[in-house]
């Protein structure tokens, strides 16, 4: 409709330039300064957060001045060091970790079997989806009374609830990971002549590794929480109590600083597993393979 | 009786010369709502050192046919044989290069990716290493042998996939629109490289494309397929030198093929009832 016709835009002169090296800019790639590198380091940034948190805690607790309900950071640290020095915390921690590792391993094995059945047979798929739909929403702690009835007070009951908490989360993630492996990669694997188990382990497992790792992390978090909670309830009866029992025991004697020390240990283990074990596992696998951005 | 005998004889004679033979193949696949016939009684022979191109518009079943040759699909009718043996499933004698860049195993370096199919098929480690390094050098990626696939560009990934397939020394190399997702400049470079590679090694290639120009450049023999369902419309000889691209004979063949593809389409659209 408009009167202006873009076909008749005013002609402009053509030109060509010779490209020369930039002068006065210095190196095209310049190394970052120390402060810039430090700011880019996530461990450093998170460390700063922890320090600020500890400082806030100390100041608030001092202002509150009520060691029975809220001990200061330094008191807690003292209780923690005492507990470690006397060997009580390491011993309780060892008991807890041992139970955890056994339960986690059993849970993973069953999850792997379930998922393999689910990717190879249709009845396996149906079983897995029905079971996960039924049991995944069921909190492991809710099974504790039943576990007590079946296995009595003690480690077998704890392992039972851990297996329950790990199994479904891991199986669900593994399965959805296998399903999301691209068709091209599957076909490529099959042209290499891979079949059955070797196809699952050489193509599907590594290709689904991001999802499997996410499942392992979720499974770990579920197992750790469930275990501490279960120990709080009946850890002592197995003869030697774990960390959960340590917390419960100290609350009964109103040693609040030790309760906090127990909680700190629970968190510290969580941080180490998340930040050291899983993080390095990620760095050596999926991040190196370009399956996850840093 | 007499007729059947002569037909048998003809088939036997064909088998002697053809490395691979597709005989009266009808392919069907199911979508959630339809049973689609992709190709209808397609027959073609592939001879040693052929560069056979399957060319056709989308919906002519060329990729489906290639998948059937690879062994991912069983024909409803007809047979596919390699060296006289019927194809029953995918296997390393028919290595395939896909269009998608994610065909490389992201958890393996370039070198490990190229070695992997050989190791799976029992080639000794030392020999696999030597063959992999030869193949990687052939596609000009020696500098990137230890890189992971995510560090490579699309063209480089396709080169690795070609190297991986070539290192297996398959009877036939199958390529399913391997350059379709590349930019025009890279595509042209890759076509030239593929031809150079063929000059050096003289492998047998089945190449699927929907680009007439690519078919003429890459192919020594072009099978033109008609759409819905795919049927062999023509088999033509090509074989242009790399610098003939755009010459008069090249133009003539382009025009001839595009007439085949587009005039048919125009008539089929005219006769097809309105939906």
């Amino acid at each position: 409709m408009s009167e202006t016709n873009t076909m008749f835009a005013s002609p402009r002169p053509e030109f060509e330039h010779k490209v020369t090296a930039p002068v006065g800019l210095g190196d095209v790639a310049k190394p970052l300064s120390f402060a810039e590198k430090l700011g880019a380091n996530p461990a450093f940034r998170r460390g700063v957060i922890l320090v600020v948190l500890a400082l806030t805690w100390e100041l608030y607790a001092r202002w509150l001045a009520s060691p029975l309900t809220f001990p200061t950071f330094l008191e807690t640290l003292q209780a923690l060091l005492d507990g470690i020095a006397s060997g009580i915390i390491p011993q309780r921690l060892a008991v807890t970790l041992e139970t955890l590792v056994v339960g986690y391993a059993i849970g993973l094995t069953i999850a792997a079997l379930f998922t393999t059945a689910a990717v190879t047979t249709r009845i396996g798929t149906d079983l897995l989806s029905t079971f996960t739909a039924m049991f995944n929403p069921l909190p492991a702690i809710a099974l504790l009374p039943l576990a007590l009835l079946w296995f009595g007070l003690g480690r077998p009951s704890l392992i039972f609830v851990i297996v329950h908490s790990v199994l479904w989360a891991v199986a669900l993630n593994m399965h959805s990971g296998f399903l999301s492996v691209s068709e091209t990669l599957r076909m490529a694997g099959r042209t290499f002549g891979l079949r059955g188990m070797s196809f699952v382990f050489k193509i599907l497992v590594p290709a689904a590794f991001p999802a499997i790792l996410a499942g392992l992390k979720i499974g770990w978090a579920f197992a750790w929480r469930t275990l501490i909670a279960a120990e709080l309830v009946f850890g002592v009866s197995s003869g030697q109590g774990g960390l959960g029992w340590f917390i419960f025991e100290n609350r009964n004697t109103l040693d609040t600083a030790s309760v906090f020390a127990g909680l700190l240990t629970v968190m510290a283990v969580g941080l180490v597993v998340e930040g050291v074990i899983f993080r390095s596992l990620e760095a050596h696998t999926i991040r190196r393979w370009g399956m996850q951005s840093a | 009786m007499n007729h059947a005998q002569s037909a048998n004889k003809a088939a036997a004679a064909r088998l002697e010369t053809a490395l691979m033979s597709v005989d009266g193949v009808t392919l069907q696949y199911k979508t959630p709502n339809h049973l689609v016939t992709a190709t209808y009684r397609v027959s073609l022979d592939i001879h040693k050192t052929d560069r056979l191109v399957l060319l056709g518009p989308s919906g002519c079943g060329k990729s489906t046919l290639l998948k059937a040759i690879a062994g991912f699909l069983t024909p409803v009718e007809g047979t596919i044989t390699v060296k006289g043996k019927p194809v029953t499933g995918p296997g390393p004698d028919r290595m395939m290069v896909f269009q998608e860049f994610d065909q490389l195993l992201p958890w393996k370096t370039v070198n490990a990716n190229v070695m992997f199919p050989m190791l799976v098929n029992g080639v000794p480690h030392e020999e696999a290493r030597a063959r992999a390094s030869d193949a990687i050098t052939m596609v000009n990626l020696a500098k990137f042998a230890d890189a992971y696939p995510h560090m490579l560009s699309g063209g480089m990934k396709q080169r690795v996939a070609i190297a991986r397939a070539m290192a297996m020394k398959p009877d036939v190399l199958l390529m399913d629109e391997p350059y379709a997702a590349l930019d025009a400049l890279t595509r042209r470079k890759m076509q030239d490289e593929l031809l150079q590679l063929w000059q050096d090694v003289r492998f047998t290639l089945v190449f699927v494309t929907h680009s007439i120009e690519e078919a003429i450049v890459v192919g020594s023999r072009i099978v033109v397929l008609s759409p819905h369902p795919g049927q062999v419309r023509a088999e033509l000889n090509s074989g242009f030198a790399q610098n003939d691209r755009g010459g008069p004979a090249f133009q003539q063949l382009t025009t001839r093929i595009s007439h085949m593809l587009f005039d048919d389409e125009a008539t089929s659209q005219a006769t097809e009832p309105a939906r």
Side-chain angles (χ1 to χ4, degrees):
Chain A
M1 284 298 188
S2 113
E3 286 295 307
T4 50
N5 193 331
T6 49
M7 289 292 278
F8 296 108
S10 65
R12 284 176 289 169
E14 296 182 347
F15 57 81
E16 283 186 29
H17 283 312
K18 250 209 182 90
V19 178
T20 50
V23 185
L25 196 68
D27 295 332
V28 174
K30 196 168 70 176
L32 295 176
S33 74
F34 180 70
E36 276 171 317
K37 273 188 200 160
L38 209 58
N41 184 352
F44 172 76
R45 291 198 308 263
R46 279 162 215 189
V48 169
I49 294 179
L50 282 184
V51 170
V52 171
L53 217 59
L55 214 66
T56 319
W57 174 3
E58 180 70 27
L59 290 176
Y60 177 69
R62 281 185 185 217
W63 174 77
L64 203 66
S66 162
L68 206 58
T69 53
F70 201 80
T72 65
F73 174 66
L74 289 178
E75 280 167 358
T76 305
L77 213 56
Q78 187 61 47
L80 185 65
L81 291 178
D82 288 348
I84 291 172
S86 67
I88 277 198
I89 288 183
Q91 183 252 325
R92 297 287 165 91
L93 185 62
V95 171
T96 303
L97 285 180
E98 202 185 320
T99 318
L100 181 89
V101 168
V102 174
Y104 196 61
I106 296 175
L108 289 189
T109 313
I110 303 178
L113 290 177
F114 247 120
T115 326
T116 311
V119 287
T120 45
T121 63
R122 201 167 59 175
I123 181 79
T125 317
D126 294 339
L127 272 178
L128 181 69
S129 35
T130 315
F131 279 2
T132 41
M134 275 167 62
F135 294 122
N136 201 28
L138 193 65
I141 282 296
L143 283 179
L144 206 53
L146 202 61
L148 289 176
L149 202 64
W150 287 348
F151 302 105
L153 287 168
R155 188 167 270 183
S157 294
L158 288 175
I159 289 175
F160 176 79
V161 291
I162 294 174
V163 168
H164 170 85
S165 67
V166 174
L167 173 58
W168 309 114
V170 173
L172 205 63
N173 267 281
M174 266 192 191
H175 189 234
S176 69
F178 283 173
L179 291 185
S180 67
V181 175
S182 84
E183 194 54 40
T184 315
L185 216 51
R186 286 167 196 269
M187 287 205 285
R190 285 174 61 201
T191 50
F192 303 161
L194 290 171
R195 280 186 186 47
M197 274 305 178
S198 61
F199 181 74
V200 172
F201 282 102
K202 287 182 173 161
I203 301 288
L204 290 187
V205 169
F209 205 68
I212 293 176
L213 199 60
L216 290 181
K217 279 162 103 171
I218 295 173
W220 141 258
F222 277 9
W224 184 236
R225 281 188 241 172
T226 306
L227 179 57
I228 298 297
E231 279 183 350
L232 273 171
V233 180
F234 71 119
V236 70
S237 315
S238 57
Q240 26 169 211
L243 263 183
W245 181 250
F246 176 83
I247 294 168
F248 190 71
E249 213 176 30
N250 283 305
R251 193 215 67 121
N252 280 350
T253 56
L254 289 182
D255 184 0
T256 316
S258 287
V259 172
F260 271 66
L263 290 174
L264 270 191
T265 315
V266 172
M267 283 194 276
V269 172
L271 279 178
V272 167
V273 172
E274 267 285 326
V276 178
I277 298 181
F278 279 119
R279 188 157 277 273
S280 69
L281 197 60
E282 270 175 6
H284 282 96
T285 56
I286 56 181
R287 218 167 311 142
R288 193 159 164 208
W289 305 336
M291 288 170 158
Q292 187 199 49
S293 55
Chain B
M1 186 68 192
N2 223 349
H3 176 77
Q5 263 177 355
S6 67
N8 271 345
K9 216 181 233 174
R14 230 178 46 192
L15 273 183
E16 272 170 34
T17 49
L19 173 74
M20 178 166 184
S21 148
V22 174
D23 194 17
V25 166
T26 301
L27 293 168
Q28 291 181 322
Y29 61 87
K30 279 181 190 151
T31 67
N33 298 318
H34 298 279
L35 179 68
V36 179
T37 302
T39 68
Y40 182 70
R41 296 195 178 157
V42 169
S43 296
L44 46 96
D45 284 344
I46 297 145
H47 295 259
K48 212 164 167 50
T49 73
D50 259 353
R51 301 190 310 272
L52 186 107
V53 174
L54 299 174
L55 171 68
S58 59
C60 74
K62 52 192 190 301
S63 283
T64 316
L65 184 60
L66 195 73
K67 280 193 183 117
I69 294 174
F72 291 113
L73 235 87
T74 318
V76 193
E77 188 184 22
T79 50
I80 301 172
T81 50
V82 180
K83 288 180 167 173
K85 277 185 222 142
V87 166
T88 52
D93 56 331
R94 285 152 288 130
M95 289 295 283
M96 186 146 165
V97 175
F98 300 88
Q99 177 185 340
E100 293 84 5
F101 296 152
D102 66 348
Q103 61 189 303
L104 300 181
L105 311 177
W107 58 93
K108 286 183 182 293
T109 61
V110 166
N111 192 38
N113 255 293
V114 177
M115 283 172 71
F116 182 66
M118 289 189 271
L119 296 180
V120 165
N121 287 286
V123 175
H125 201 274
E126 277 315 304
E127 192 193 332
R129 181 171 293 281
R131 269 159 72 173
S133 104
D134 284 351
I136 293 169
T137 312
M138 253 182 342
V139 296
N140 305 319
L141 283 178
K143 265 197 277 178
F144 296 90
D146 294 321
Y148 282 91
H150 72 101
M151 303 163 171
L152 306 179
S153 69
M156 288 155 101
K157 284 180 195 170
Q158 294 308 78
R159 284 197 191 102
V160 177
I162 293 168
R164 181 170 73 177
M166 299 266 304
M168 264 317 275
K169 298 186 177 153
D171 292 332
V172 210
L173 179 60
L174 309 176
M175 298 179 101
D176 185 6
E177 306 199 28
Y179 308 145
L182 297 174
D183 62 279
L185 291 175
T186 313
R187 189 183 312 149
R188 192 172 166 153
K189 205 168 155 220
M190 299 281 291
Q191 290 164 352
D192 291 345
E193 280 182 17
L194 184 70
L195 288 175
Q196 190 55 53
L197 218 56
W198 184 86
Q199 294 283 359
D200 298 344
V201 190
R202 302 275 162 162
F203 49 90
T204 312
L205 174 69
V206 181
F207 190 103
V208 163
T209 182
H210 58 248
S211 150
I212 298 174
E213 197 208 330
E214 186 167 69
I216 298 174
V217 170
V218 168
S220 63
R221 186 130 175 113
I222 303 172
V223 177
V224 183
L225 296 169
S226 66
H228 303 300
Q231 281 170 289
V232 176
R233 174 77 172 76
E235 257 197 59
L236 310 170
N237 286 318
S238 183
F240 284 89
Q242 282 162 43
N243 43 15
D244 280 353
R245 210 189 285 239
F250 189 100
Q251 285 302 333
Q252 209 182 352
L253 189 55
T254 311
T255 321
R256 192 174 156 202
I257 295 174
S258 65
H259 276 307
M260 262 179 224
L261 294 175
F262 297 115
D263 294 353
D264 286 2
E265 197 170 297
T267 43
S268 79
Q269 266 170 8
T271 52
E272 217 167 284
R275 281 176 206 175

